């Protein structure tokens, strides 16, 4: 027997009988807001400015768009923070929604990296690429996996621990401990970025030196960018902790930052194992079938 | 009819800010629908220009072949990203997900607004891509090396890439919004297994978007850096491989075709059930058929690449996997037929369009299974047979579902009843037009006519002429649609809260028509009544 999955017409009337004029639902429906369209204008200006810049134009239009984007982020998220600090706006159910939202955002980010891993494997496995260069291609001087990259791996793994310490402290209502460990995590992010930048500077291959640098720089570069974003996110959370925005049962912002941080950590582990370690093994020299 | 909403809450912002700053799912849905219609006029004009050029052998009026390529490209992009997706997902999804699951709005109303505006900005970029520096003539598949800096040195392809980036960002944000809304905000009692099939369809569509679009974004980024920063992802002289683009593109591209057709499945399921005055046959089978189509849709992408030189095992796998999709697809077709079976069917325009949809989709599905055979596809790939296949199964099917949904919900959205006879006339003109337009393309394709060309040998003249006449007839259908729209909006025939009677059992029919600005302020309870 198929159950009727929705209202049937006889009960519909009763539902409205019981109603009153006050909103009874738990959801947060914000007032009209200028930020979305402003953010779109920022994106549009950045697109035009970026294309102009790439075709020998000046960079200022891109910079203007970017500034507008940062302004939008600032204004929009400021608004969200104000709302989260206003009693009654973020009900329990709304908070569940915010968590889902951030989780799915991270999943989409993972799929973005999926594309770059695909490019890496396609190019490095002679079975897949019809061009079948040996991997690493001749003339590429690899960055030893057991040097700075190993150090960076340890730094990121440590930072995953420290962010968890901060999270537990927050849940146990030890605010100053939580603040301390959040900032330690963020600083580890800065250190990671510093080493990554240094690695780019000493690398002997440049972006336009063929397929190896293409996959290497774009995969690690986008990862580095995400570390940068995560670091900013953690700093913001640190300051919000100082200001007392978070309580043991009300800290979606912090939780999102922590999840994001684990995500950049996981991506890095994959990069380290595949691009640095596996990519430096001489499998690629097997000639294509 | 009941009136769950209260005029008391019906204060709405006024002036341009109501739209520009909107956080209202109905207003945003309306903006998506309007954008889709505007884009349909542009994309439709491109197709009429192409068909007029192909009307006879020889060059008629398009003297620059690159301009023809630009038309092909613009038509494909606009139809996919700016007509079908905004209408089915942004338009109907926004309007009816909250109404059908009994919640006041989407989970993230501001993000909803940015999703809309990003599409609008992307459309502008895409139109620029058609005009600047000779235009982007790459086809919607943007294969390198044609799309690389060697063959498209100007800004056009970069505009196209950035347009897709913005549209993609919009889709990802929209997907997050839809999934969160559907998972988190259903009315009490509406378990997953009691959701309307339209909601199932939108949930799965959103998951496909969430997983497929970022892969396209990655590929587009690689193309952008190949073109402008000297990387070599797709450049053999640097050790890269153009086939990589095809993998990434089609890993997105095949799910993308289901992104466009799953919402159609949802709409058709609602309409068939409403107009047969029966619950849908095999509800759970329908829901899980869509689920399996969505899942399997991720592992069949290389059926677009059979001519790339795969080994025979690879081709055997992709042939098999592709054919597997025909099974859940068949479940859907038969369930729709079984729903109608023994029902007391009302042949109003939405139902006519739904039955038209089922017919078109079956024709396209049959040619799909044909093309799934790697061996057969060696001959058919890049011919008009493929064009006929995907226009039946996707383009005009999706179009029919859009029309169906539009007639079905126009009363709910506008509060006015469309003139039924005009709707039926519009259906018949369109139905005859599109079949005249696309059926002959099977024959031209089987005879070997390649797709995406401005001219062809005289041998193909007959079918091309028929096809072009079909295009003009379809265009008349399109114009008639706007006539219906105008007549409806200016008429004073009111639509009832539930204009379709006992068959219409979903929650949107419990609110007034037009749906008030705020609905479901008081959460409806849809828990099943206790057994007596
Ligand atoms: C029974 C299910 C289906 C099968 C077996 C199937 C099979 C195929 C195959 C093998 C091709 C490649 C042909 C070639 O390029 O040589 C193809 C192309 C295509 N199919 Fe399908 N298909 C099916 C359903 C669908 C559906 C449901 C849609 C969309 C809603 C769709 C949209 C397309 C599009 C857009 C193309 C052409 C893309 C292009 O090259 O521009 N197909 N199909
Ligand atoms: Cu496909």
């Amino acid at each position: 027997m198929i159950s009727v999955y929705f209202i049937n017409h006889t009960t519909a009337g009763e539902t409205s009988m019981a109603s009153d004029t006050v909103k009874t639902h738990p959801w947060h429906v914000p007032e009209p807001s200028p930020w979305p369209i402003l953010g779109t204008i920022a994106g549009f200006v950045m697109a035009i400015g970026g294309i102009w810049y790439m075709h020998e134009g000046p960079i200022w239009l891109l910079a203007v768009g970017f500034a507008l984007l940062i302004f939008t982020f600032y204004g929009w998220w400021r608004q969200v923070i104000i709302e989260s600090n206003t009693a009654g706006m973020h009900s329990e159910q709304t908070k569940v929604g915010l968590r889902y939202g951030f989780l799915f955002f991270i999943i989409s980010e993972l799929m973005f990296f999926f594309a770059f891993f695909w490019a890496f494997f396609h190019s490095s496995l002679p079975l897949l690429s019809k061009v079948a260069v040996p991997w690493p291609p001749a003339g590429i001087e690899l960055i030893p996996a057991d040097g700075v990259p190993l150090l960076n791996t340890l730094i990121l793994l440590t930072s995953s621990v420290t962010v968890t310490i901060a999270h537990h402290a927050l849940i146990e209502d030890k605010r100053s401990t939580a603040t301390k460990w959040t900032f330690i995590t963020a600083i580890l992010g800065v250190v990671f970025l510093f080493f990554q930048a240094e690695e780019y500077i000493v690398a002997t291959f440049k972006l336009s030196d063929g397929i190896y640098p293409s996959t290497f720089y774009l995969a690690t570069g986008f990862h580095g960018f995400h570390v940068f974003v995560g670091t900013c996110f953690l700093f913001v959370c640190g300051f919000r902790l100082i200001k007392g925005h978070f309580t043991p049962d009300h800290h979606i912002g912090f939780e999102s930052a922590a999840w994001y941080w684990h995500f950049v950590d996981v991506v890095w582990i994959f990069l380290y194992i595949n691009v640095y370690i596996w990519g430096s093994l001489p499998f690629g020299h097997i000639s294509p079938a | 009819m009941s009136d769950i909403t209260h005029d008391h809450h019906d204060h709405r912002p006024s002036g341009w800010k109501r739209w520009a700053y909107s956080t209202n799912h109905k207003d945003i849905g309306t903006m998506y629908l309007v954008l889709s219609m505007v884009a349909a006029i542009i994309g439709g004009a491109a197709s009429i220009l192409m068909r007029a050029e192909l009307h006879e052998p020889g060059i008629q009026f398009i003297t620059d072949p690159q301009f023809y390529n630009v038309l092909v490209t613009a038509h494909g992009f606009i139809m996919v990203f700016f007509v079908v997706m905004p209408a089915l997902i942004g338009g109907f999804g926004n309007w009816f997900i909250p109404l059908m699951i009994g919640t006041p709005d989407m989970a993230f109303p501001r993000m909803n607004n940015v999703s809309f505006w990003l599409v609008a900005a992307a459309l502008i970029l895409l139109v620029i891509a058609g005009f600047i520096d000779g235009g982007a003539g790459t086809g919607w598949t943007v294969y390198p090396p044609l799309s690389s800096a060697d063959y498209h040195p100007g800004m056009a392809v970069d505009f196209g890439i950035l347009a897709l980036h913005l549209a993609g960002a919009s889709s990802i944000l929209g997907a997050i919004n839809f999934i969160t809304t559907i998972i988190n905000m259903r009315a009490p009692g509406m378990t997953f297994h009691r959701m309307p099939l339209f909601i199932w369809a939108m949930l799965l569509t959103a998951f496909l978007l969430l997983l497929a679009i970022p892969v396209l974004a990655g590929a587009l980024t690689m193309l952008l850096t190949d073109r402008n920063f000297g990387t070599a992802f797709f450049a053999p002289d640097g050790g890269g491989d153009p086939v990589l683009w095809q993998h990434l593109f089609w890993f997105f591209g095949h799910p993308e075709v289901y992104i466009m057709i799953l919402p159609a499945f949802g709409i058709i399921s609602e309409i068939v059930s409403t107009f047969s005055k029966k619950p849908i046959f095999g509800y759970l089978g329908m829901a899980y058929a869509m689920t399996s189509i969505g899942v399997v849709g991720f592992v069949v992408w290389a059926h677009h690449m059979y001519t790339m030189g795969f080994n025979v095992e690879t081709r055997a796998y992709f042939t098999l996997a592709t054919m597997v999709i025909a099974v859940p697809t068949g479940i859907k077709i038969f369930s729709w037929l079984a729903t109608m079976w023994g029902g007391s069917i009302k042949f109003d325009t939405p139902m006519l369009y739904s039955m038209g949809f089922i017919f078109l989709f079956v024709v396209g599905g049959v040619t799909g299974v044909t093309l799934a055979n790697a061996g057969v596809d060696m001959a058919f790939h890049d011919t008009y047979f493929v064009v006929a296949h995907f226009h039946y199964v996707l383009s005009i099917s999706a179009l029919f579902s859009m029309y169906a949904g539009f007639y079905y919900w126009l009363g709910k959205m506008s509060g006015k009843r469309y003139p039924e006879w005009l709707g039926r006339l519009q259906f018949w003109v369109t139905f005859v037009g599109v079949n005249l337009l696309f059926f002959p393309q099977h024959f031209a394709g089987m005879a070997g006519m390649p797709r995406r060309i401005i001219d062809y040998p005289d041998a193909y003249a007959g079918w091309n002429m028929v096809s072009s006449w079909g295009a003009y007839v379809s265009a008349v259908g399109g114009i008639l649609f706007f006539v219906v729209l105008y007549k409806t909006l200016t008429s004073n025939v009111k639509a009832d809260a539930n204009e379709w009677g006992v068959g219409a059992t979903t929650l949107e029919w419990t609110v007034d028509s037009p749906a008030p600005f705020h609905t479901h302020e008081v959460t409806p309870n849809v828990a099943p009544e206790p057994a007596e």
Side-chain angles (χ1 to χ4, degrees), chain B residues 39-54:
Chain B
I41 294 172
I42 308 174
S47 64
I48 293 298
L49 286 178
M50 289 189 288
R51 271 330 311 174
E53 173 55 49
L54 296 174

Side-chain angles (χ1 to χ4, degrees), chain A residues 16-187:
Chain A
S16 66
M17 290 293 155
S19 61
D20 55 37
T21 47
V22 202
K23 94 162 191 177
T24 58
H25 64 77
W27 312 114
H28 174 221
V29 181
E31 291 297 304
S33 160
W35 300 115
I37 193 164
L38 207 64
T40 304
I41 293 171
F44 185 74
V45 172
M46 277 177 74
I48 304 236
I51 294 169
W52 199 18
Y53 172 63
M54 289 185 295
H55 288 266
E56 328 306 50
I59 199 169
W60 64 264
L61 192 59
L62 180 61
V64 167
F66 187 68
L68 202 55
L69 187 72
I70 297 298
F71 176 63
T72 307
F73 284 161
Y74 175 80
W76 190 335
W77 290 335
R78 180 174 172 275
Q79 179 75 32
V80 174
I81 289 175
I82 292 171
E83 285 161 6
S84 83
N85 293 339
T86 309
M89 284 220 173
H90 285 184
S91 66
E92 282 310 311
Q93 291 95 319
T94 297
K95 276 156 63 181
V96 172
L98 288 166
R99 288 200 191 93
Y100 272 128
F102 203 78
L103 177 74
F104 291 120
F105 171 67
I106 289 179
I107 291 175
S108 78
E109 292 264 66
L110 281 172
M111 290 310 288
F112 182 71
F113 280 99
F114 181 82
F116 289 94
F117 278 105
W118 192 328
F120 170 75
F121 284 115
H122 183 95
S123 311
S124 59
L125 287 168
L127 204 64
L128 296 179
S129 173
K130 295 290 169 249
V131 179
V133 294
W135 198 268
I140 292 291
E141 207 180 308
L142 290 179
I143 296 171
D146 55 359
V148 174
L150 179 60
L151 181 62
N152 259 352
T153 308
L154 296 177
I155 290 170
L156 271 197
L157 286 176
T158 312
S159 73
S160 251
V161 177
T162 55
V163 81
T164 308
I165 296 175
H167 196 176
H168 280 278
L170 177 52
I171 292 170
E172 288 156 23
D173 211 4
K174 297 180 193 144
R175 213 170 91 196
S176 61
T177 320
T179 314
K180 184 176 79 192
W181 287 101
T182 303
F183 278 115
I184 291 176
T185 312
I187 289 166

Side-chain angles (χ1 to χ4, degrees), chain A residues 203-247:
Chain A
T204 56
F205 46 82
K206 56 183 197 306
L207 181 63
S208 54
D209 281 349
I211 185 67
Y212 184 90
S214 303
T215 56
F216 176 82
Y217 280 121
L218 263 80
T220 60
F222 273 114
H223 174 263
F225 174 71
H226 282 77
V227 174
F228 173 74
V229 171
T231 306
C232 296
F233 201 170
L234 284 167
F235 273 119
V236 170
C237 284
F239 290 118
R240 292 187 64 193
L241 271 163
I242 293 175
K243 289 196 144 197
H245 286 182
F246 296 134
T247 63

Side-chain angles (χ1 to χ4, degrees), chain A residues 148 151-152 155 190-200:
Chain A
V148 174
L151 181 62
N152 259 352
I155 290 170
V190 175
V191 175
F192 174 94
L193 286 172
F194 172 81
F195 282 127
Q196 188 75 8
E198 188 249 13
E199 187 183 283
Y200 286 175

Side-chain angles (χ1 to χ4, degrees), chain B residues 98-137:
Chain B
L99 280 177
M100 283 172 130
I101 67 175
T103 199
D105 211 296
M106 301 296 280
F108 309 113
R110 283 175 295 220
M111 203 163 88
N112 203 12
N113 190 18
V114 84
S115 286
F116 168 75
W117 285 112
L118 282 172
V119 182
L123 179 58
I124 298 174
L125 291 179
L126 194 85
V127 171
I128 297 177
F131 288 104
I132 204 159
D133 288 347

